[in-house]
Amino acid sequence: MPRKLLPRTLRARLIAGLLVLLVATCAAVGFATTGALRHFLVGRLDQQLTEAGGRYAASLEHTGQGASPDTRAQTPGTLGVRLLDGTVTAAGVVDGDADDLSGPDDEDDRVGFPSARQRALAALPVGGPARSLDLGGTLGRYRVRAVAGRDGDVLVSGLPLRPAEETVDRLETLELTVFAVVVAVAGAAGAVWVGWSLRPLRRVVGMAERVSALPLASGAVMLAERVPDDDPRTEVGRVGAALNRMLGHVGDALARRHTVEERLRAFAADASHELRTPVAAVRGHAELALRHPGEVPGPVRHSLERIDAEAVRMGAIVEDLLLLARLDAGRPLAEEEVDLTRIALNAVTDARAAGPDHRWRLALPEEPVLVRGDEHRLSQVVANLLANARTHTPSGTGVELRLEHAGERVELSVVDDGPGIAPELLGRVFERFVRGDRARSRATGSTGLGLAIVEAVVQAHGGTVEAASRPGRTVFTVRLPGAA
């Protein structure tokens, strides 16, 4: 049977198994009863043939004497055949009319057999057990037995199998009707019983579905769902108790994880906020020293310039960390109508100035593309994606910014024909402090937070961002809800 036709649910399988077993049992009972009845009726025919011997067949030797008492006592349909040297010399069948007292010489009782049937009759073992034989024509199947006659001939007596076969057929029809009703009633009752028995399991499934729909990735999670069926005396109860214990452990683990995340967010926000003042002070003192009117030695000036550059870089990191902390805390962003077309134009213009060795292209629709959100943060998303393409691709790489409508959403893509992202790094590009430069060289100025900010800002706007890469083609795609 094809797998697609097999029942899939447990309830359907249990009901199907019940019906299969019931049908198999009914079939076995039917075969046993019909076989036993057939064997009994055929045995009775064999017993009658043994008791009758060859009296009716022997009476066929004497014609013109009227019906003998033995002839009238024979069962209607009884067959008598006399064979001499393998040839039928006389044959007759007792008439079924009770008023017919004619003897075996009555022409209506006489029958004839073709040569094939005569050979079959002649092949019967003399004195052996009775056999079933199809005599053809109007006679049909008979149970026949051959005995030796007094004149060196063979006397064959037979009784029709039709009454026995009709009795067996009536029994089979009755059994089929009764079994069909039994299977239908048992199927309906079994469906109700199995459905009632599986109610605890359905409650377990419902609880599991409700838990699976909870947002477990981040934030506070309240796993208040529990399985009501936890009776250890039943299989479903043991499963329910195990699930309840597992949910308790998972809830504790999620609560501890949320506590750790909150502490880390608070630390990042507090540290970023506290670092802004000393970083600004360091940068201010460095700029003040560089503006000193007096003579400043070359090495000292170089050191001051490096201090100022690193202070600028540290300030950018602090601002990025503070932004991520605010987004993690769910701080609301500004919500206004934003023209992404203008943002894309400005971002590509700035990228050309920052990376003149790259080939920059811009693909925009004819109509302005509008979204609802924070213009400053969306500008930061586009700028970070272009800076990421510029930073991690060699000179001469082509970078294209595409903006288009995709149904009710807006799709912004940054495509480059650079060397691509390593497969082991592709799934982690949006994590914090993940860099393609494993040596963490500061020549490019990358902090490893740009794409993390992209994902956080896009998710705060109700959108999605994904990356796909292979050698010669890397695509970052941002999808945002379009403005009404």
mmCIF file of all heavy atoms in Angstrom, residues 396-413:
data_model
loop_
_atom_site.group_PDB
_atom_site.id
_atom_site.type_symbol
_atom_site.label_atom_id
_atom_site.label_comp_id
_atom_site.label_asym_id
_atom_site.label_seq_id
_atom_site.Cartn_x
_atom_site.Cartn_y
_atom_site.Cartn_z
ATOM 1 N N GLY A 396 38.159 48.275 -6.487
ATOM 2 C CA GLY A 396 37.625 47.893 -7.786
ATOM 3 C C GLY A 396 36.379 47.050 -7.716
ATOM 4 O O GLY A 396 35.787 46.719 -8.757
ATOM 5 N N THR A 397 35.936 46.669 -6.508
ATOM 6 C CA THR A 397 34.723 45.858 -6.366
ATOM 7 C C THR A 397 33.502 46.708 -6.690
ATOM 8 O O THR A 397 33.410 47.880 -6.297
ATOM 9 C CB THR A 397 34.611 45.308 -4.938
ATOM 10 O OG1 THR A 397 35.764 44.508 -4.660
ATOM 11 C CG2 THR A 397 33.365 44.458 -4.770
ATOM 12 N N GLY A 398 32.537 46.091 -7.384
ATOM 13 C CA GLY A 398 31.284 46.767 -7.679
ATOM 14 C C GLY A 398 30.275 46.551 -6.573
ATOM 15 O O GLY A 398 30.062 45.423 -6.122
ATOM 16 N N VAL A 399 29.683 47.646 -6.108
ATOM 17 C CA VAL A 399 28.667 47.588 -5.050
ATOM 18 C C VAL A 399 27.411 48.287 -5.564
ATOM 19 O O VAL A 399 27.489 49.420 -6.048
ATOM 20 C CB VAL A 399 29.158 48.249 -3.751
ATOM 21 C CG1 VAL A 399 28.088 48.118 -2.659
ATOM 22 C CG2 VAL A 399 30.474 47.630 -3.286
ATOM 23 N N GLU A 400 26.267 47.607 -5.448
ATOM 24 C CA GLU A 400 25.011 48.175 -5.944
ATOM 25 C C GLU A 400 23.990 48.220 -4.817
ATOM 26 O O GLU A 400 23.812 47.242 -4.071
ATOM 27 C CB GLU A 400 24.460 47.343 -7.099
ATOM 28 C CG GLU A 400 23.161 47.915 -7.681
ATOM 29 C CD GLU A 400 22.634 47.087 -8.833
ATOM 30 O OE1 GLU A 400 22.984 45.891 -8.917
ATOM 31 O OE2 GLU A 400 21.869 47.629 -9.649
ATOM 32 N N LEU A 401 23.321 49.363 -4.680
ATOM 33 C CA LEU A 401 22.241 49.524 -3.720
ATOM 34 C C LEU A 401 20.921 49.518 -4.493
ATOM 35 O O LEU A 401 20.694 50.363 -5.358
ATOM 36 C CB LEU A 401 22.401 50.834 -2.949
ATOM 37 C CG LEU A 401 21.259 51.205 -1.992
ATOM 38 C CD1 LEU A 401 21.074 50.134 -0.933
ATOM 39 C CD2 LEU A 401 21.515 52.558 -1.357
ATOM 40 N N ARG A 402 20.044 48.555 -4.165
ATOM 41 C CA ARG A 402 18.764 48.416 -4.838
ATOM 42 C C ARG A 402 17.639 48.721 -3.863
ATOM 43 O O ARG A 402 17.689 48.336 -2.690
ATOM 44 C CB ARG A 402 18.580 46.995 -5.377
ATOM 45 C CG ARG A 402 19.624 46.576 -6.396
ATOM 46 C CD ARG A 402 19.418 45.113 -6.756
ATOM 47 N NE ARG A 402 20.428 44.629 -7.675
ATOM 48 C CZ ARG A 402 20.574 43.340 -8.020
ATOM 49 N NH1 ARG A 402 19.744 42.433 -7.499
ATOM 50 N NH2 ARG A 402 21.516 42.974 -8.853
ATOM 51 N N LEU A 403 16.616 49.378 -4.357
ATOM 52 C CA LEU A 403 15.450 49.710 -3.549
ATOM 53 C C LEU A 403 14.214 49.471 -4.402
ATOM 54 O O LEU A 403 14.117 49.978 -5.528
ATOM 55 C CB LEU A 403 15.521 51.175 -3.108
ATOM 56 C CG LEU A 403 14.496 51.633 -2.066
ATOM 57 C CD1 LEU A 403 14.629 50.817 -0.796
ATOM 58 C CD2 LEU A 403 14.668 53.121 -1.780
ATOM 59 N N GLU A 404 13.267 48.679 -3.868
ATOM 60 C CA GLU A 404 12.074 48.337 -4.654
ATOM 61 C C GLU A 404 10.944 47.936 -3.732
ATOM 62 O O GLU A 404 11.152 47.618 -2.547
ATOM 63 C CB GLU A 404 12.388 47.191 -5.629
ATOM 64 C CG GLU A 404 12.879 45.934 -4.940
ATOM 65 C CD GLU A 404 13.302 44.863 -5.930
ATOM 66 O OE1 GLU A 404 12.996 45.016 -7.118
ATOM 67 O OE2 GLU A 404 13.944 43.886 -5.505
ATOM 68 N N HIS A 405 9.744 47.953 -4.292
ATOM 69 C CA HIS A 405 8.558 47.487 -3.569
ATOM 70 C C HIS A 405 8.424 45.980 -3.768
ATOM 71 O O HIS A 405 8.616 45.464 -4.864
ATOM 72 C CB HIS A 405 7.298 48.187 -4.086
ATOM 73 C CG HIS A 405 7.206 49.627 -3.682
ATOM 74 N ND1 HIS A 405 6.818 50.037 -2.429
ATOM 75 C CD2 HIS A 405 7.463 50.772 -4.379
ATOM 76 C CE1 HIS A 405 6.827 51.348 -2.363
ATOM 77 N NE2 HIS A 405 7.218 51.825 -3.533
ATOM 78 N N ALA A 406 8.068 45.273 -2.685
ATOM 79 C CA ALA A 406 7.817 43.826 -2.744
ATOM 80 C C ALA A 406 6.478 43.556 -2.072
ATOM 81 O O ALA A 406 6.409 43.176 -0.906
ATOM 82 C CB ALA A 406 8.942 43.054 -2.058
ATOM 83 N N GLY A 407 5.410 43.775 -2.809
ATOM 84 C CA GLY A 407 4.083 43.633 -2.232
ATOM 85 C C GLY A 407 3.807 44.762 -1.255
ATOM 86 O O GLY A 407 3.948 45.945 -1.574
ATOM 87 N N GLU A 408 3.429 44.384 -0.033
ATOM 88 C CA GLU A 408 3.163 45.379 0.999
ATOM 89 C C GLU A 408 4.428 45.747 1.768
ATOM 90 O O GLU A 408 4.354 46.512 2.734
ATOM 91 C CB GLU A 408 2.106 44.846 1.973
ATOM 92 C CG GLU A 408 0.747 44.605 1.328
ATOM 93 C CD GLU A 408 -0.278 44.128 2.325
ATOM 94 O OE1 GLU A 408 0.123 43.889 3.493
ATOM 95 O OE2 GLU A 408 -1.455 44.006 1.956
ATOM 96 N N ARG A 409 5.553 45.216 1.384
ATOM 97 C CA ARG A 409 6.802 45.502 2.067
ATOM 98 C C ARG A 409 7.770 46.209 1.114
ATOM 99 O O ARG A 409 7.585 46.220 -0.101
ATOM 100 C CB ARG A 409 7.441 44.209 2.614
ATOM 101 C CG ARG A 409 6.536 43.471 3.584
ATOM 102 C CD ARG A 409 7.175 42.188 4.087
ATOM 103 N NE ARG A 409 8.177 42.436 5.101
ATOM 104 C CZ ARG A 409 7.925 42.628 6.387
ATOM 105 N NH1 ARG A 409 6.684 42.617 6.825
ATOM 106 N NH2 ARG A 409 8.905 42.818 7.257
ATOM 107 N N VAL A 410 8.794 46.781 1.708
ATOM 108 C CA VAL A 410 9.851 47.469 0.961
ATOM 109 C C VAL A 410 11.128 46.655 1.104
ATOM 110 O O VAL A 410 11.461 46.196 2.203
ATOM 111 C CB VAL A 410 10.047 48.905 1.492
ATOM 112 C CG1 VAL A 410 11.263 49.547 0.848
ATOM 113 C CG2 VAL A 410 8.807 49.735 1.240
ATOM 114 N N GLU A 411 11.825 46.462 0.005
ATOM 115 C CA GLU A 411 13.029 45.628 0.000
ATOM 116 C C GLU A 411 14.229 46.479 -0.412
ATOM 117 O O GLU A 411 14.240 47.099 -1.471
ATOM 118 C CB GLU A 411 12.845 44.453 -0.957
ATOM 119 C CG GLU A 411 13.937 43.410 -0.860
ATOM 120 C CD GLU A 411 13.600 42.171 -1.661
ATOM 121 O OE1 GLU A 411 12.696 41.423 -1.241
ATOM 122 O OE2 GLU A 411 14.232 41.982 -2.715
ATOM 123 N N LEU A 412 15.232 46.516 0.465
ATOM 124 C CA LEU A 412 16.482 47.231 0.214
ATOM 125 C C LEU A 412 17.615 46.209 0.207
ATOM 126 O O LEU A 412 17.766 45.447 1.169
ATOM 127 C CB LEU A 412 16.713 48.292 1.288
ATOM 128 C CG LEU A 412 17.942 49.198 1.137
ATOM 129 C CD1 LEU A 412 17.631 50.592 1.663
ATOM 130 C CD2 LEU A 412 19.157 48.646 1.880
ATOM 131 N N SER A 413 18.397 46.182 -0.882
ATOM 132 C CA SER A 413 19.455 45.186 -1.024
ATOM 133 C C SER A 413 20.775 45.885 -1.334
ATOM 134 O O SER A 413 20.810 46.866 -2.084
ATOM 135 C CB SER A 413 19.131 44.193 -2.148
ATOM 136 O OG SER A 413 17.888 43.565 -1.921
#
